[in-house]
Amino acid sequence: MKKEKIIIIGSRVYIFTSALCLLFVSLQAWYDPQMIMNLVNVQLESNDASSSIRGVYGGVGLTIYFTLIYLMKKDVGKGLLFLSMFWGLYAFSRILTVFADGKLGGFGVQWLKIESLLFLMGLALLMCYHLFITHKKSAYEKV
């Protein structure tokens, strides 16, 4: 029982921490889209460009934040699955960039490491969740 509680709490902390990071970026994007793009040395030169950053990093990011908060409370397993895919595909996109366009700069390398670590953490938590929690639930349902 203690093992299951540790897995649930650890999973919720992981989901909540990811959600807070996305909330922070979303609010920054709404407040000042250029601040987000300064991280990768890109100048937004039109209102359409600013609007796109507000929409993707702000609006979509906030949608993901609310989804993660919901999943953290209602379905931890789906939250872990979502974040494993989310961080994994972020990391894959950076790796794809290396093959398509060449070497990443310092920002890209740093975030490739962070996203890869978050992917592996999510995957490990997901496997533990299914092994110790979902598996147990299905055993009880058979009785």
Side-chain angles (χ1 to χ4, degrees), residues 63-101:
T63 301
I64 293 170
Y65 165 80
F66 286 124
T67 301
L68 288 172
I69 296 302
Y70 173 82
L71 290 173
M72 181 184 74
K73 294 179 180 182
K74 299 292 184 182
D75 195 333
V76 171
K78 286 182 183 166
L80 292 171
L81 177 61
F82 177 82
L83 279 172
S84 295
M85 290 189 308
F86 180 83
W87 293 121
L89 288 170
Y90 240 123
F92 178 75
S93 297
R94 293 190 194 279
I95 293 167
L96 183 61
T97 299
V98 170
F99 287 105
D101 303 316

PDB file of all heavy atoms in Angstrom, residues 63-101:
ATOM      1  N   THR A  63      -4.333  25.695 -22.289  1.00  0.00           N
ATOM      2  CA  THR A  63      -5.229  24.546 -22.464  1.00  0.00           C
ATOM      3  C   THR A  63      -4.565  23.280 -21.924  1.00  0.00           C
ATOM      4  O   THR A  63      -5.204  22.475 -21.223  1.00  0.00           O
ATOM      5  CB  THR A  63      -5.591  24.367 -23.952  1.00  0.00           C
ATOM      6  OG1 THR A  63      -6.213  25.558 -24.427  1.00  0.00           O
ATOM      7  CG2 THR A  63      -6.504  23.171 -24.156  1.00  0.00           C
ATOM      8  N   ILE A  64      -3.304  23.109 -22.229  1.00  0.00           N
ATOM      9  CA  ILE A  64      -2.566  21.950 -21.721  1.00  0.00           C
ATOM     10  C   ILE A  64      -2.474  22.015 -20.198  1.00  0.00           C
ATOM     11  O   ILE A  64      -2.637  21.004 -19.506  1.00  0.00           O
ATOM     12  CB  ILE A  64      -1.175  21.844 -22.378  1.00  0.00           C
ATOM     13  CG1 ILE A  64      -1.328  21.531 -23.872  1.00  0.00           C
ATOM     14  CG2 ILE A  64      -0.320  20.782 -21.687  1.00  0.00           C
ATOM     15  CD1 ILE A  64      -0.041  21.637 -24.663  1.00  0.00           C
ATOM     16  N   TYR A  65      -2.225  23.207 -19.648  1.00  0.00           N
ATOM     17  CA  TYR A  65      -2.167  23.377 -18.194  1.00  0.00           C
ATOM     18  C   TYR A  65      -3.465  22.893 -17.545  1.00  0.00           C
ATOM     19  O   TYR A  65      -3.436  22.087 -16.607  1.00  0.00           O
ATOM     20  CB  TYR A  65      -1.896  24.845 -17.841  1.00  0.00           C
ATOM     21  CG  TYR A  65      -2.169  25.162 -16.391  1.00  0.00           C
ATOM     22  CD1 TYR A  65      -1.228  24.834 -15.407  1.00  0.00           C
ATOM     23  CD2 TYR A  65      -3.357  25.757 -15.998  1.00  0.00           C
ATOM     24  CE1 TYR A  65      -1.479  25.101 -14.070  1.00  0.00           C
ATOM     25  CE2 TYR A  65      -3.613  26.025 -14.670  1.00  0.00           C
ATOM     26  CZ  TYR A  65      -2.671  25.699 -13.707  1.00  0.00           C
ATOM     27  OH  TYR A  65      -2.933  25.957 -12.381  1.00  0.00           O
ATOM     28  N   PHE A  66      -4.606  23.388 -18.018  1.00  0.00           N
ATOM     29  CA  PHE A  66      -5.896  22.989 -17.424  1.00  0.00           C
ATOM     30  C   PHE A  66      -6.152  21.490 -17.596  1.00  0.00           C
ATOM     31  O   PHE A  66      -6.686  20.835 -16.704  1.00  0.00           O
ATOM     32  CB  PHE A  66      -7.052  23.805 -18.018  1.00  0.00           C
ATOM     33  CG  PHE A  66      -7.097  25.219 -17.518  1.00  0.00           C
ATOM     34  CD1 PHE A  66      -7.077  26.274 -18.420  1.00  0.00           C
ATOM     35  CD2 PHE A  66      -7.144  25.499 -16.166  1.00  0.00           C
ATOM     36  CE1 PHE A  66      -7.112  27.592 -17.964  1.00  0.00           C
ATOM     37  CE2 PHE A  66      -7.180  26.809 -15.707  1.00  0.00           C
ATOM     38  CZ  PHE A  66      -7.164  27.860 -16.601  1.00  0.00           C
ATOM     39  N   THR A  67      -5.766  20.946 -18.731  1.00  0.00           N
ATOM     40  CA  THR A  67      -5.922  19.508 -18.964  1.00  0.00           C
ATOM     41  C   THR A  67      -5.087  18.712 -17.965  1.00  0.00           C
ATOM     42  O   THR A  67      -5.560  17.712 -17.398  1.00  0.00           O
ATOM     43  CB  THR A  67      -5.517  19.154 -20.409  1.00  0.00           C
ATOM     44  OG1 THR A  67      -6.349  19.885 -21.314  1.00  0.00           O
ATOM     45  CG2 THR A  67      -5.651  17.665 -20.673  1.00  0.00           C
ATOM     46  N   LEU A  68      -3.864  19.147 -17.733  1.00  0.00           N
ATOM     47  CA  LEU A  68      -2.997  18.443 -16.783  1.00  0.00           C
ATOM     48  C   LEU A  68      -3.536  18.526 -15.354  1.00  0.00           C
ATOM     49  O   LEU A  68      -3.473  17.531 -14.611  1.00  0.00           O
ATOM     50  CB  LEU A  68      -1.575  19.001 -16.846  1.00  0.00           C
ATOM     51  CG  LEU A  68      -0.798  18.641 -18.104  1.00  0.00           C
ATOM     52  CD1 LEU A  68       0.530  19.402 -18.148  1.00  0.00           C
ATOM     53  CD2 LEU A  68      -0.576  17.144 -18.198  1.00  0.00           C
ATOM     54  N   ILE A  69      -4.065  19.669 -14.971  1.00  0.00           N
ATOM     55  CA  ILE A  69      -4.638  19.799 -13.622  1.00  0.00           C
ATOM     56  C   ILE A  69      -5.822  18.847 -13.482  1.00  0.00           C
ATOM     57  O   ILE A  69      -5.965  18.154 -12.467  1.00  0.00           O
ATOM     58  CB  ILE A  69      -5.044  21.257 -13.322  1.00  0.00           C
ATOM     59  CG1 ILE A  69      -3.798  22.165 -13.301  1.00  0.00           C
ATOM     60  CG2 ILE A  69      -5.821  21.354 -12.019  1.00  0.00           C
ATOM     61  CD1 ILE A  69      -2.720  21.777 -12.308  1.00  0.00           C
ATOM     62  N   TYR A  70      -6.655  18.774 -14.504  1.00  0.00           N
ATOM     63  CA  TYR A  70      -7.790  17.849 -14.483  1.00  0.00           C
ATOM     64  C   TYR A  70      -7.308  16.402 -14.379  1.00  0.00           C
ATOM     65  O   TYR A  70      -7.786  15.632 -13.535  1.00  0.00           O
ATOM     66  CB  TYR A  70      -8.645  18.040 -15.747  1.00  0.00           C
ATOM     67  CG  TYR A  70      -9.737  17.016 -15.873  1.00  0.00           C
ATOM     68  CD1 TYR A  70     -10.931  17.161 -15.183  1.00  0.00           C
ATOM     69  CD2 TYR A  70      -9.566  15.880 -16.664  1.00  0.00           C
ATOM     70  CE1 TYR A  70     -11.939  16.204 -15.275  1.00  0.00           C
ATOM     71  CE2 TYR A  70     -10.555  14.917 -16.768  1.00  0.00           C
ATOM     72  CZ  TYR A  70     -11.738  15.093 -16.074  1.00  0.00           C
ATOM     73  OH  TYR A  70     -12.721  14.144 -16.159  1.00  0.00           O
ATOM     74  N   LEU A  71      -6.339  16.025 -15.223  1.00  0.00           N
ATOM     75  CA  LEU A  71      -5.845  14.648 -15.221  1.00  0.00           C
ATOM     76  C   LEU A  71      -5.130  14.311 -13.910  1.00  0.00           C
ATOM     77  O   LEU A  71      -5.222  13.179 -13.424  1.00  0.00           O
ATOM     78  CB  LEU A  71      -4.919  14.411 -16.414  1.00  0.00           C
ATOM     79  CG  LEU A  71      -5.608  14.388 -17.774  1.00  0.00           C
ATOM     80  CD1 LEU A  71      -4.582  14.331 -18.893  1.00  0.00           C
ATOM     81  CD2 LEU A  71      -6.595  13.241 -17.878  1.00  0.00           C
ATOM     82  N   MET A  72      -4.456  15.276 -13.324  1.00  0.00           N
ATOM     83  CA  MET A  72      -3.770  15.047 -12.057  1.00  0.00           C
ATOM     84  C   MET A  72      -4.773  14.638 -10.974  1.00  0.00           C
ATOM     85  O   MET A  72      -4.488  13.797 -10.130  1.00  0.00           O
ATOM     86  CB  MET A  72      -3.030  16.313 -11.629  1.00  0.00           C
ATOM     87  CG  MET A  72      -2.265  16.184 -10.332  1.00  0.00           C
ATOM     88  SD  MET A  72      -1.521  17.747  -9.823  1.00  0.00           S
ATOM     89  CE  MET A  72      -2.973  18.643  -9.262  1.00  0.00           C
ATOM     90  N   LYS A  73      -5.967  15.222 -11.040  1.00  0.00           N
ATOM     91  CA  LYS A  73      -6.997  14.931 -10.039  1.00  0.00           C
ATOM     92  C   LYS A  73      -7.842  13.716 -10.400  1.00  0.00           C
ATOM     93  O   LYS A  73      -8.254  12.968  -9.527  1.00  0.00           O
ATOM     94  CB  LYS A  73      -7.906  16.149  -9.858  1.00  0.00           C
ATOM     95  CG  LYS A  73      -7.193  17.335  -9.254  1.00  0.00           C
ATOM     96  CD  LYS A  73      -8.125  18.515  -9.124  1.00  0.00           C
ATOM     97  CE  LYS A  73      -7.396  19.705  -8.520  1.00  0.00           C
ATOM     98  NZ  LYS A  73      -8.284  20.844  -8.346  1.00  0.00           N
ATOM     99  N   LYS A  74      -8.133  13.526 -11.690  1.00  0.00           N
ATOM    100  CA  LYS A  74      -9.118  12.526 -12.105  1.00  0.00           C
ATOM    101  C   LYS A  74      -8.535  11.243 -12.699  1.00  0.00           C
ATOM    102  O   LYS A  74      -9.146  10.189 -12.598  1.00  0.00           O
ATOM    103  CB  LYS A  74     -10.104  13.131 -13.121  1.00  0.00           C
ATOM    104  CG  LYS A  74     -10.903  14.291 -12.585  1.00  0.00           C
ATOM    105  CD  LYS A  74     -11.863  13.845 -11.515  1.00  0.00           C
ATOM    106  CE  LYS A  74     -12.713  15.017 -11.058  1.00  0.00           C
ATOM    107  NZ  LYS A  74     -13.624  14.653 -10.008  1.00  0.00           N
ATOM    108  N   ASP A  75      -7.377  11.338 -13.384  1.00  0.00           N
ATOM    109  CA  ASP A  75      -6.825  10.147 -14.030  1.00  0.00           C
ATOM    110  C   ASP A  75      -5.310  10.297 -14.182  1.00  0.00           C
ATOM    111  O   ASP A  75      -4.812  10.686 -15.240  1.00  0.00           O
ATOM    112  CB  ASP A  75      -7.487   9.922 -15.391  1.00  0.00           C
ATOM    113  CG  ASP A  75      -7.244   8.529 -15.945  1.00  0.00           C
ATOM    114  OD1 ASP A  75      -6.209   7.919 -15.609  1.00  0.00           O
ATOM    115  OD2 ASP A  75      -8.098   8.059 -16.720  1.00  0.00           O
ATOM    116  N   VAL A  76      -4.603   9.959 -13.117  1.00  0.00           N
ATOM    117  CA  VAL A  76      -3.150  10.123 -13.084  1.00  0.00           C
ATOM    118  C   VAL A  76      -2.469   9.343 -14.212  1.00  0.00           C
ATOM    119  O   VAL A  76      -1.532   9.838 -14.839  1.00  0.00           O
ATOM    120  CB  VAL A  76      -2.600   9.703 -11.697  1.00  0.00           C
ATOM    121  CG1 VAL A  76      -1.084   9.638 -11.698  1.00  0.00           C
ATOM    122  CG2 VAL A  76      -3.089  10.668 -10.628  1.00  0.00           C
ATOM    123  N   GLY A  77      -2.955   8.156 -14.498  1.00  0.00           N
ATOM    124  CA  GLY A  77      -2.358   7.342 -15.559  1.00  0.00           C
ATOM    125  C   GLY A  77      -2.388   8.041 -16.905  1.00  0.00           C
ATOM    126  O   GLY A  77      -1.394   8.037 -17.639  1.00  0.00           O
ATOM    127  N   LYS A  78      -3.521   8.648 -17.245  1.00  0.00           N
ATOM    128  CA  LYS A  78      -3.613   9.369 -18.523  1.00  0.00           C
ATOM    129  C   LYS A  78      -2.746  10.625 -18.504  1.00  0.00           C
ATOM    130  O   LYS A  78      -2.184  11.012 -19.531  1.00  0.00           O
ATOM    131  CB  LYS A  78      -5.062   9.713 -18.836  1.00  0.00           C
ATOM    132  CG  LYS A  78      -5.852   8.496 -19.280  1.00  0.00           C
ATOM    133  CD  LYS A  78      -7.274   8.837 -19.641  1.00  0.00           C
ATOM    134  CE  LYS A  78      -8.015   7.559 -20.011  1.00  0.00           C
ATOM    135  NZ  LYS A  78      -9.449   7.745 -20.054  1.00  0.00           N
ATOM    136  N   GLY A  79      -2.626  11.258 -17.344  1.00  0.00           N
ATOM    137  CA  GLY A  79      -1.741  12.419 -17.223  1.00  0.00           C
ATOM    138  C   GLY A  79      -0.294  12.036 -17.483  1.00  0.00           C
ATOM    139  O   GLY A  79       0.435  12.734 -18.186  1.00  0.00           O
ATOM    140  N   LEU A  80       0.118  10.884 -16.933  1.00  0.00           N
ATOM    141  CA  LEU A  80       1.487  10.399 -17.163  1.00  0.00           C
ATOM    142  C   LEU A  80       1.708  10.029 -18.622  1.00  0.00           C
ATOM    143  O   LEU A  80       2.764  10.327 -19.196  1.00  0.00           O
ATOM    144  CB  LEU A  80       1.773   9.196 -16.265  1.00  0.00           C
ATOM    145  CG  LEU A  80       1.847   9.477 -14.771  1.00  0.00           C
ATOM    146  CD1 LEU A  80       1.920   8.173 -13.987  1.00  0.00           C
ATOM    147  CD2 LEU A  80       3.019  10.381 -14.440  1.00  0.00           C
ATOM    148  N   LEU A  81       0.718   9.385 -19.220  1.00  0.00           N
ATOM    149  CA  LEU A  81       0.820   9.022 -20.635  1.00  0.00           C
ATOM    150  C   LEU A  81       0.933  10.273 -21.501  1.00  0.00           C
ATOM    151  O   LEU A  81       1.799  10.368 -22.376  1.00  0.00           O
ATOM    152  CB  LEU A  81      -0.395   8.196 -21.058  1.00  0.00           C
ATOM    153  CG  LEU A  81      -0.462   7.792 -22.529  1.00  0.00           C
ATOM    154  CD1 LEU A  81       0.742   6.935 -22.905  1.00  0.00           C
ATOM    155  CD2 LEU A  81      -1.756   7.049 -22.813  1.00  0.00           C
ATOM    156  N   PHE A  82       0.084  11.256 -21.235  1.00  0.00           N
ATOM    157  CA  PHE A  82       0.114  12.504 -21.998  1.00  0.00           C
ATOM    158  C   PHE A  82       1.471  13.180 -21.870  1.00  0.00           C
ATOM    159  O   PHE A  82       2.084  13.578 -22.870  1.00  0.00           O
ATOM    160  CB  PHE A  82      -0.997  13.454 -21.544  1.00  0.00           C
ATOM    161  CG  PHE A  82      -0.951  14.779 -22.249  1.00  0.00           C
ATOM    162  CD1 PHE A  82      -1.516  14.917 -23.504  1.00  0.00           C
ATOM    163  CD2 PHE A  82      -0.309  15.865 -21.687  1.00  0.00           C
ATOM    164  CE1 PHE A  82      -1.455  16.131 -24.179  1.00  0.00           C
ATOM    165  CE2 PHE A  82      -0.237  17.077 -22.345  1.00  0.00           C
ATOM    166  CZ  PHE A  82      -0.815  17.213 -23.595  1.00  0.00           C
ATOM    167  N   LEU A  83       1.979  13.326 -20.643  1.00  0.00           N
ATOM    168  CA  LEU A  83       3.249  14.030 -20.454  1.00  0.00           C
ATOM    169  C   LEU A  83       4.432  13.250 -21.015  1.00  0.00           C
ATOM    170  O   LEU A  83       5.395  13.859 -21.498  1.00  0.00           O
ATOM    171  CB  LEU A  83       3.476  14.351 -18.975  1.00  0.00           C
ATOM    172  CG  LEU A  83       2.733  15.580 -18.490  1.00  0.00           C
ATOM    173  CD1 LEU A  83       2.862  15.722 -16.981  1.00  0.00           C
ATOM    174  CD2 LEU A  83       3.211  16.846 -19.189  1.00  0.00           C
ATOM    175  N   SER A  84       4.377  11.937 -20.957  1.00  0.00           N
ATOM    176  CA  SER A  84       5.451  11.148 -21.570  1.00  0.00           C
ATOM    177  C   SER A  84       5.508  11.426 -23.069  1.00  0.00           C
ATOM    178  O   SER A  84       6.596  11.631 -23.631  1.00  0.00           O
ATOM    179  CB  SER A  84       5.231   9.653 -21.313  1.00  0.00           C
ATOM    180  OG  SER A  84       5.330   9.365 -19.942  1.00  0.00           O
ATOM    181  N   MET A  85       4.348  11.448 -23.702  1.00  0.00           N
ATOM    182  CA  MET A  85       4.317  11.766 -25.142  1.00  0.00           C
ATOM    183  C   MET A  85       4.728  13.216 -25.378  1.00  0.00           C
ATOM    184  O   MET A  85       5.502  13.509 -26.299  1.00  0.00           O
ATOM    185  CB  MET A  85       2.914  11.520 -25.712  1.00  0.00           C
ATOM    186  CG  MET A  85       2.540  10.068 -25.795  1.00  0.00           C
ATOM    187  SD  MET A  85       0.999   9.742 -26.695  1.00  0.00           S
ATOM    188  CE  MET A  85      -0.163  10.837 -25.919  1.00  0.00           C
ATOM    189  N   PHE A  86       4.214  14.129 -24.570  1.00  0.00           N
ATOM    190  CA  PHE A  86       4.489  15.556 -24.726  1.00  0.00           C
ATOM    191  C   PHE A  86       5.994  15.834 -24.664  1.00  0.00           C
ATOM    192  O   PHE A  86       6.580  16.398 -25.596  1.00  0.00           O
ATOM    193  CB  PHE A  86       3.757  16.341 -23.627  1.00  0.00           C
ATOM    194  CG  PHE A  86       3.973  17.827 -23.679  1.00  0.00           C
ATOM    195  CD1 PHE A  86       3.218  18.617 -24.517  1.00  0.00           C
ATOM    196  CD2 PHE A  86       4.916  18.432 -22.863  1.00  0.00           C
ATOM    197  CE1 PHE A  86       3.400  19.996 -24.560  1.00  0.00           C
ATOM    198  CE2 PHE A  86       5.111  19.808 -22.890  1.00  0.00           C
ATOM    199  CZ  PHE A  86       4.358  20.582 -23.741  1.00  0.00           C
ATOM    200  N   TRP A  87       6.639  15.414 -23.562  1.00  0.00           N
ATOM    201  CA  TRP A  87       8.067  15.689 -23.418  1.00  0.00           C
ATOM    202  C   TRP A  87       8.895  14.867 -24.402  1.00  0.00           C
ATOM    203  O   TRP A  87       9.903  15.349 -24.929  1.00  0.00           O
ATOM    204  CB  TRP A  87       8.525  15.432 -21.979  1.00  0.00           C
ATOM    205  CG  TRP A  87       7.933  16.388 -20.989  1.00  0.00           C
ATOM    206  CD1 TRP A  87       7.166  16.073 -19.901  1.00  0.00           C
ATOM    207  CD2 TRP A  87       8.056  17.822 -20.971  1.00  0.00           C
ATOM    208  NE1 TRP A  87       6.809  17.218 -19.226  1.00  0.00           N
ATOM    209  CE2 TRP A  87       7.339  18.310 -19.856  1.00  0.00           C
ATOM    210  CE3 TRP A  87       8.703  18.745 -21.795  1.00  0.00           C
ATOM    211  CZ2 TRP A  87       7.252  19.660 -19.539  1.00  0.00           C
ATOM    212  CZ3 TRP A  87       8.617  20.101 -21.489  1.00  0.00           C
ATOM    213  CH2 TRP A  87       7.896  20.544 -20.378  1.00  0.00           C
ATOM    214  N   GLY A  88       8.474  13.637 -24.663  1.00  0.00           N
ATOM    215  CA  GLY A  88       9.200  12.797 -25.614  1.00  0.00           C
ATOM    216  C   GLY A  88       9.185  13.368 -27.019  1.00  0.00           C
ATOM    217  O   GLY A  88      10.204  13.375 -27.715  1.00  0.00           O
ATOM    218  N   LEU A  89       8.033  13.867 -27.439  1.00  0.00           N
ATOM    219  CA  LEU A  89       7.947  14.440 -28.789  1.00  0.00           C
ATOM    220  C   LEU A  89       8.651  15.792 -28.875  1.00  0.00           C
ATOM    221  O   LEU A  89       9.168  16.160 -29.938  1.00  0.00           O
ATOM    222  CB  LEU A  89       6.487  14.543 -29.228  1.00  0.00           C
ATOM    223  CG  LEU A  89       5.863  13.177 -29.542  1.00  0.00           C
ATOM    224  CD1 LEU A  89       4.359  13.292 -29.741  1.00  0.00           C
ATOM    225  CD2 LEU A  89       6.525  12.540 -30.753  1.00  0.00           C
ATOM    226  N   TYR A  90       8.684  16.524 -27.775  1.00  0.00           N
ATOM    227  CA  TYR A  90       9.476  17.755 -27.750  1.00  0.00           C
ATOM    228  C   TYR A  90      10.951  17.413 -27.988  1.00  0.00           C
ATOM    229  O   TYR A  90      11.629  18.022 -28.810  1.00  0.00           O
ATOM    230  CB  TYR A  90       9.338  18.468 -26.398  1.00  0.00           C
ATOM    231  CG  TYR A  90       8.773  19.860 -26.478  1.00  0.00           C
ATOM    232  CD1 TYR A  90       7.628  20.198 -25.776  1.00  0.00           C
ATOM    233  CD2 TYR A  90       9.405  20.856 -27.223  1.00  0.00           C
ATOM    234  CE1 TYR A  90       7.104  21.477 -25.821  1.00  0.00           C
ATOM    235  CE2 TYR A  90       8.895  22.139 -27.274  1.00  0.00           C
ATOM    236  CZ  TYR A  90       7.751  22.446 -26.572  1.00  0.00           C
ATOM    237  OH  TYR A  90       7.237  23.717 -26.622  1.00  0.00           O
ATOM    238  N   ALA A  91      11.461  16.415 -27.240  1.00  0.00           N
ATOM    239  CA  ALA A  91      12.857  16.001 -27.392  1.00  0.00           C
ATOM    240  C   ALA A  91      13.109  15.466 -28.805  1.00  0.00           C
ATOM    241  O   ALA A  91      14.125  15.791 -29.432  1.00  0.00           O
ATOM    242  CB  ALA A  91      13.208  14.945 -26.337  1.00  0.00           C
ATOM    243  N   PHE A  92      12.186  14.649 -29.306  1.00  0.00           N
ATOM    244  CA  PHE A  92      12.333  14.102 -30.664  1.00  0.00           C
ATOM    245  C   PHE A  92      12.404  15.219 -31.698  1.00  0.00           C
ATOM    246  O   PHE A  92      13.184  15.146 -32.650  1.00  0.00           O
ATOM    247  CB  PHE A  92      11.171  13.154 -30.984  1.00  0.00           C
ATOM    248  CG  PHE A  92      11.236  12.612 -32.374  1.00  0.00           C
ATOM    249  CD1 PHE A  92      12.153  11.619 -32.711  1.00  0.00           C
ATOM    250  CD2 PHE A  92      10.408  13.115 -33.368  1.00  0.00           C
ATOM    251  CE1 PHE A  92      12.230  11.134 -34.013  1.00  0.00           C
ATOM    252  CE2 PHE A  92      10.472  12.641 -34.669  1.00  0.00           C
ATOM    253  CZ  PHE A  92      11.390  11.647 -34.991  1.00  0.00           C
ATOM    254  N   SER A  93      11.616  16.275 -31.504  1.00  0.00           N
ATOM    255  CA  SER A  93      11.629  17.403 -32.444  1.00  0.00           C
ATOM    256  C   SER A  93      12.994  18.066 -32.483  1.00  0.00           C
ATOM    257  O   SER A  93      13.465  18.490 -33.545  1.00  0.00           O
ATOM    258  CB  SER A  93      10.561  18.427 -32.048  1.00  0.00           C
ATOM    259  OG  SER A  93       9.283  17.842 -32.142  1.00  0.00           O
ATOM    260  N   ARG A  94      13.645  18.157 -31.338  1.00  0.00           N
ATOM    261  CA  ARG A  94      14.987  18.754 -31.306  1.00  0.00           C
ATOM    262  C   ARG A  94      16.000  17.831 -31.996  1.00  0.00           C
ATOM    263  O   ARG A  94      16.884  18.290 -32.718  1.00  0.00           O
ATOM    264  CB  ARG A  94      15.399  19.054 -29.876  1.00  0.00           C
ATOM    265  CG  ARG A  94      14.541  20.151 -29.263  1.00  0.00           C
ATOM    266  CD  ARG A  94      15.075  20.643 -27.945  1.00  0.00           C
ATOM    267  NE  ARG A  94      14.079  21.430 -27.249  1.00  0.00           N
ATOM    268  CZ  ARG A  94      13.807  22.713 -27.485  1.00  0.00           C
ATOM    269  NH1 ARG A  94      14.456  23.359 -28.429  1.00  0.00           N
ATOM    270  NH2 ARG A  94      12.879  23.346 -26.792  1.00  0.00           N
ATOM    271  N   ILE A  95      15.870  16.524 -31.770  1.00  0.00           N
ATOM    272  CA  ILE A  95      16.759  15.563 -32.428  1.00  0.00           C
ATOM    273  C   ILE A  95      16.544  15.608 -33.937  1.00  0.00           C
ATOM    274  O   ILE A  95      17.506  15.598 -34.716  1.00  0.00           O
ATOM    275  CB  ILE A  95      16.527  14.145 -31.865  1.00  0.00           C
ATOM    276  CG1 ILE A  95      16.987  14.092 -30.402  1.00  0.00           C
ATOM    277  CG2 ILE A  95      17.248  13.093 -32.709  1.00  0.00           C
ATOM    278  CD1 ILE A  95      16.527  12.865 -29.644  1.00  0.00           C
ATOM    279  N   LEU A  96      15.297  15.686 -34.356  1.00  0.00           N
ATOM    280  CA  LEU A  96      14.974  15.810 -35.776  1.00  0.00           C
ATOM    281  C   LEU A  96      15.625  17.057 -36.363  1.00  0.00           C
ATOM    282  O   LEU A  96      16.150  17.032 -37.480  1.00  0.00           O
ATOM    283  CB  LEU A  96      13.452  15.842 -35.959  1.00  0.00           C
ATOM    284  CG  LEU A  96      12.917  15.906 -37.375  1.00  0.00           C
ATOM    285  CD1 LEU A  96      13.355  14.681 -38.170  1.00  0.00           C
ATOM    286  CD2 LEU A  96      11.401  16.006 -37.347  1.00  0.00           C
ATOM    287  N   THR A  97      15.620  18.140 -35.598  1.00  0.00           N
ATOM    288  CA  THR A  97      16.247  19.388 -36.050  1.00  0.00           C
ATOM    289  C   THR A  97      17.742  19.192 -36.295  1.00  0.00           C
ATOM    290  O   THR A  97      18.288  19.717 -37.268  1.00  0.00           O
ATOM    291  CB  THR A  97      16.008  20.512 -35.023  1.00  0.00           C
ATOM    292  OG1 THR A  97      14.598  20.729 -34.914  1.00  0.00           O
ATOM    293  CG2 THR A  97      16.697  21.804 -35.422  1.00  0.00           C
ATOM    294  N   VAL A  98      18.396  18.433 -35.420  1.00  0.00           N
ATOM    295  CA  VAL A  98      19.833  18.173 -35.600  1.00  0.00           C
ATOM    296  C   VAL A  98      20.064  17.477 -36.938  1.00  0.00           C
ATOM    297  O   VAL A  98      20.968  17.853 -37.699  1.00  0.00           O
ATOM    298  CB  VAL A  98      20.390  17.320 -34.432  1.00  0.00           C
ATOM    299  CG1 VAL A  98      21.802  16.842 -34.738  1.00  0.00           C
ATOM    300  CG2 VAL A  98      20.357  18.106 -33.131  1.00  0.00           C
ATOM    301  N   PHE A  99      19.251  16.482 -37.252  1.00  0.00           N
ATOM    302  CA  PHE A  99      19.420  15.758 -38.517  1.00  0.00           C
ATOM    303  C   PHE A  99      19.001  16.596 -39.726  1.00  0.00           C
ATOM    304  O   PHE A  99      19.615  16.507 -40.786  1.00  0.00           O
ATOM    305  CB  PHE A  99      18.652  14.433 -38.485  1.00  0.00           C
ATOM    306  CG  PHE A  99      19.296  13.408 -37.612  1.00  0.00           C
ATOM    307  CD1 PHE A  99      18.751  13.102 -36.372  1.00  0.00           C
ATOM    308  CD2 PHE A  99      20.466  12.758 -38.002  1.00  0.00           C
ATOM    309  CE1 PHE A  99      19.354  12.166 -35.546  1.00  0.00           C
ATOM    310  CE2 PHE A  99      21.072  11.824 -37.186  1.00  0.00           C
ATOM    311  CZ  PHE A  99      20.513  11.523 -35.946  1.00  0.00           C
ATOM    312  N   ALA A 100      17.979  17.412 -39.565  1.00  0.00           N
ATOM    313  CA  ALA A 100      17.478  18.195 -40.700  1.00  0.00           C
ATOM    314  C   ALA A 100      18.282  19.476 -40.932  1.00  0.00           C
ATOM    315  O   ALA A 100      18.507  19.876 -42.075  1.00  0.00           O
ATOM    316  CB  ALA A 100      16.002  18.544 -40.478  1.00  0.00           C
ATOM    317  N   ASP A 101      18.699  20.130 -39.833  1.00  0.00           N
ATOM    318  CA  ASP A 101      19.284  21.464 -39.958  1.00  0.00           C
ATOM    319  C   ASP A 101      20.692  21.612 -39.384  1.00  0.00           C
ATOM    320  O   ASP A 101      21.320  22.634 -39.575  1.00  0.00           O
ATOM    321  CB  ASP A 101      18.372  22.498 -39.274  1.00  0.00           C
ATOM    322  CG  ASP A 101      16.969  22.480 -39.848  1.00  0.00           C
ATOM    323  OD1 ASP A 101      16.829  22.412 -41.076  1.00  0.00           O
ATOM    324  OD2 ASP A 101      16.003  22.508 -39.052  1.00  0.00           O
TER     325      ASP A 101
END
